[in-house]
Amino acid sequence: MKAVVWHGVGDIRLDVVDDPKIQEPTDAIVQITSSAICGTDLHLVRGTMPGMVPGTVLGHEAVGTVVDTGSAVRGFAPGDRVVVCSTVSCGHCAYCRSGYTAQCDTANPNGPLAGTSFFGGPETTGPVDGLQAEYARIPYANNTLVKVPEGVSDDQAIMVSDVLPTGWFGARLAQVSEGDTVLVLGAGVVGQCAVASAFRQGAGRVLVVDGIADRLETARAQNAEPIDFHREDPVEVTRELTGGIGADRVIDAVGVDAQRPEQGPAADHLPVETDVFEEERRLAAPEGNTDSGQWLVGDAPSLAGRWAVQAVAKAGSVGVIGVYPPTFDRFPLGGVLNRNLTVQGGNCNHHRYVPGLLDKVGRGDLDPTRFITQHAEPQSMIDAYEAFDLRRTGWLKTVVPM
């Protein structure tokens, strides 16, 4: 079968690989009908999520049809149309039964202390071959798959595989409640989903920070208030718009590949000196491209975290869903302590939220398809990766019908 395969930092290829097979009684084989390219995939290619194993199939978002099941899979049968949760979970350990499926004690073959297991990730996550392929093996299928309700399209369902649950999870981590003013850092597709989720969890007002004009316009179309960090200082503007108080809740949907402002007051008043960011960059991606061109590593790895701590109100809360590698240890802890902040972060507990969000999408309560800006053919996926990596206008979310 054809699949997108990681060969090294900055080196991905559309290869022909062996078809997946049932390896464990809890496995299922799914024929992928729709996949997608995610910002997390870019971290893997850029090298800001180290430890990738050459030959790993990329991708962690998919919709498809079950074609085979192991003997222990009772809830699914060939022909069932399913969403694949991006994180793998067994469903029976103490963490899964408490809803913390991203911290499943069983799914990660590296052991219970290894943390989240997700498709197409580095060695510490499994690794488990990903979903940008014609077929995929789904471990612990009973809990990692969710049936697609009647009337829900592939485009609707693919957005519930990862990005919409992650945005919803970010609002939950930030403790969004009725009437809150929420600041979302990052207007990529996860940030857009965080905006939609914050409003539906009760936010009275949502501010959004980014430096890409069409992404800010997409946020504005959701009734969010855009802040362009190339023209304004996000911290100062947030304070001005909130009477000097700051946002009640902040969601960091940026992560380690944050970019510095190119001009304006924010560029003149960075939270730390540029040499600090350069040191962080080397720490985050020692093999990454820090010069120019394709697969360029973000030049301000801790910027979103620093802005979040500065822009939130005293005794406010911050939810972190942007990707940071386990080795990244730069965070303004002193500011958190001094201002009595609550900070929560983590990988989304997908299976906890996917069923309910599928129902919301099916009823029309949420329309994540508004964020799909590109459909790419499988044979052009590498070109699509490159365009997405360069943050070109119109490349917010790319879906790939397989």
Side-chain angles (χ1 to χ4, degrees):
M1 67 173 184
K2 292 182 179 179
V4 177
V5 179
W6 192 94
H7 288 272
V9 173
D11 182 6
I12 57 173
R13 308 171 199 171
L14 186 63
D15 289 346
V16 175
V17 301
D18 291 338
D19 289 349
K21 301 183 184 305
I22 298 288
Q23 297 179 18
E24 301 290 341
T26 51
D27 288 351
I29 304 298
V30 170
Q31 181 179 7
I32 306 300
T33 57
S34 188
S35 188
I37 301 174
C38 181
T40 301
D41 298 323
L42 294 182
H43 291 303
L44 303 174
V45 184
R46 291 171 182 158
T48 45
M49 180 65 77
M52 286 293 291
V53 177
T56 301
V57 176
L58 290 177
H60 55 268
E61 300 171 275
V63 179
T65 303
V66 175
V67 295
D68 195 10
T69 60
S71 60
V73 177
R74 295 175 179 267
F76 299 92
D80 286 343
R81 188 161 163 262
V82 293
V83 168
V84 183
C85 294
S86 295
T87 47
V88 183
S89 57
C90 72
H92 58 72
C93 72
Y95 284 96
C96 285
R97 290 163 71 173
S98 298
Y100 298 103
T101 54
Q103 294 302 320
C104 174
D105 261 349
T106 307
N108 195 323
N110 295 298
L113 297 182
T116 307
S117 177
F118 67 91
F119 290 96
E123 186 173 17
T124 54
T125 69
V128 181
D129 274 330
L131 309 175
Q132 290 169 4
E134 294 179 271
Y135 294 85
R137 180 181 75 90
I138 312 300
Y140 300 101
N142 279 324
N143 212 59
T144 305
L145 298 178
V146 177
K147 288 184 181 178
V148 179
E150 290 289 335
V152 174
S153 69
D154 265 25
D155 273 5
Q156 291 174 312
I158 191 67
M159 298 296 283
V160 187
S161 181
D162 179 35
V163 291
L164 183 55
T166 299
W168 191 269
F169 180 60
R172 292 292 297 269
L173 287 177
Q175 302 180 8
V176 173
S177 59
E178 295 291 331
D180 282 343
T181 294
V182 178
L183 174 67
V184 176
L185 297 170
V189 69
V190 170
Q192 302 291 346
C193 290
V195 171
S197 299
F199 275 128
R200 282 155 184 81
Q201 291 180 31
R205 187 181 188 191
V206 179
L207 317 177
V208 181
V209 174
D210 206 289
I212 300 176
D214 67 321
R215 296 184 179 186
L216 289 171
E217 284 305 311
T218 301
R220 192 198 306 271
Q222 297 196 68
N223 296 320
E225 300 172 50
I227 301 170
D228 184 343
F229 64 68
H230 294 307
R231 299 183 179 184
E232 303 176 292
D233 185 322
V235 175
E236 291 305 315
V237 171
T238 299
R239 289 175 180 164
E240 289 172 8
L241 294 175
T242 57
I245 297 171
D248 302 301
R249 319 293 171 201
V250 177
I251 301 170
D252 172 4
V254 179
V256 72
D257 268 319
Q259 292 183 304
R260 293 201 294 265
E262 296 173 354
Q263 58 190 5
D268 297 333
H269 299 95
L270 292 170
V272 294
E273 298 297 325
T274 56
D275 59 348
V276 174
F277 284 137
E278 289 303 321
E279 181 187 357
E280 293 175 353
R281 205 181 193 191
R282 290 189 292 272
L283 171 69
E287 299 179 44
N289 173 19
T290 57
D291 185 13
S292 63
Q294 200 76 60
W295 316 123
L296 184 64
V297 174
D299 61 6
S302 69
L303 181 58
R306 296 179 190 278
W307 275 348
V309 168
Q310 291 178 350
V312 72
K314 292 187 295 183
S317 51
V318 177
V320 182
I321 50 174
V323 172
Y324 294 90
T327 53
F328 192 75
D329 60 0
R330 307 300 171 90
F331 192 79
L333 190 58
V336 172
L337 184 69
N338 188 50
R339 305 182 67 236
N340 281 55
L341 305 181
T342 298
V343 179
Q344 295 190 81
N347 298 314
C348 179
N349 301 303
H350 288 91
H351 191 267
R352 184 173 187 167
Y353 302 113
V354 168
L357 289 173
L358 279 171
D359 288 341
K360 289 180 185 296
V361 169
R363 292 194 304 266
D365 297 344
L366 281 166
D367 179 21
T369 62
R370 69 168 78 178
F371 309 133
I372 299 174
T373 55
Q374 302 285 337
H375 286 86
E377 296 298 319
Q379 61 268 25
S380 65
M381 283 187 73
I382 305 304
D383 293 337
Y385 258 97
E386 292 175 351
F388 183 37
D389 171 68
L390 294 173
R391 300 174 175 86
R392 290 178 177 166
T393 298
W395 288 84
L396 178 62
K397 185 61 175 179
T398 302
V399 169
V400 185
M402 302 298 291

